[in-house]
Amino acid sequence: VQLQASGGGLVQPGGSLRLSCAASGFTVADYAIGWFRQAPGKEREGVLCQGSSDGHTIFADAVKGRFIISRDKQTNIVYLQMNNLKPSDTAVYYCAADPIYAGCSDEDYAFWGQGTQVTVSS
């Protein structure tokens, strides 16, 4: 199982970015997927996590209404669409996967991609 996150960059406040998480060794439709982030000097936190079966999704309060997760079953890529970005969204973002959906904490996910940096600044 491998995950490859990409799509980070520098964006102005109010802008949008779409992060990608390319998966190999498993089918994204069958796994729980989590997006996490770690800001400088802070612990990693769950941003948005979704189960595979009923699509139940957990959102961090800070991103509700702004971040959307989607899965492309044909390309086996998971996306995180981030809208109306704020400077407080600046962090390294990680995607993670697990065959079992148990929540949105680090310990709920066995497989991790490398991070991609998102910087929101004018």
Side-chain angles (χ1 to χ4, degrees), residues 1 8 11 16 29 31 33-34 44 53 62 66 82-83 91 93 101 105-106:
V1 172
V11 62
S16 297
Y31 273 52
I33 300 293
R44 189 160 58 188
S53 56
R66 300 190 296 122
M82 305 186 295
N83 301 317
Y93 283 72
Y101 179 56
S105 299
D106 273 24

Side-chain angles (χ1 to χ4, degrees), residues 3-16:
L3 298 164
Q4 180 82 23
S6 62
L10 173 64
V11 62
Q12 292 188 342
S16 297

Side-chain angles (χ1 to χ4, degrees), residues 41-53:
K42 295 186 177 181
E43 292 188 355
R44 189 160 58 188
E45 63 173 349
V47 173
L48 188 161
C49 299
Q50 186 181 65
S52 63
S53 56

Side-chain angles (χ1 to χ4, degrees), residues 12-15 62 66 83-90 119-121:
Q12 292 188 342
R66 300 190 296 122
N83 301 317
N84 190 22
L85 284 161
K86 305 175 181 181
S88 56
D89 294 319
T90 296
T119 302
V120 185
S121 175

Side-chain angles (χ1 to χ4, degrees), residues 32-37 43-51 56-60 94-112:
I33 300 293
W35 283 97
F36 294 77
R37 67 185 181 188
E43 292 188 355
R44 189 160 58 188
E45 63 173 349
V47 173
L48 188 161
C49 299
Q50 186 181 65
H56 180 266
T57 306
I58 297 171
F59 295 88
Y94 301 86
C95 59
D98 197 280
I100 297 173
Y101 179 56
C104 207
S105 299
D106 273 24
E107 58 266 27
D108 295 326
Y109 294 84
F111 306 105
W112 291 80

Side-chain angles (χ1 to χ4, degrees), residues 16-76:
S16 297
L17 270 181
R18 188 177 75 164
L19 304 184
S20 300
C21 179
S24 59
F26 72 101
T27 301
V28 297
D30 296 336
Y31 273 52
I33 300 293
W35 283 97
F36 294 77
R37 67 185 181 188
Q38 187 167 22
K42 295 186 177 181
E43 292 188 355
R44 189 160 58 188
E45 63 173 349
V47 173
L48 188 161
C49 299
Q50 186 181 65
S52 63
S53 56
D54 62 359
H56 180 266
T57 306
I58 297 171
F59 295 88
D61 287 343
V63 307
K64 282 181 181 176
R66 300 190 296 122
F67 288 16
I68 302 167
I69 188 173
S70 62
R71 309 184 192 212
D72 187 325
K73 298 176 182 179
Q74 291 195 337
T75 60
N76 216 35

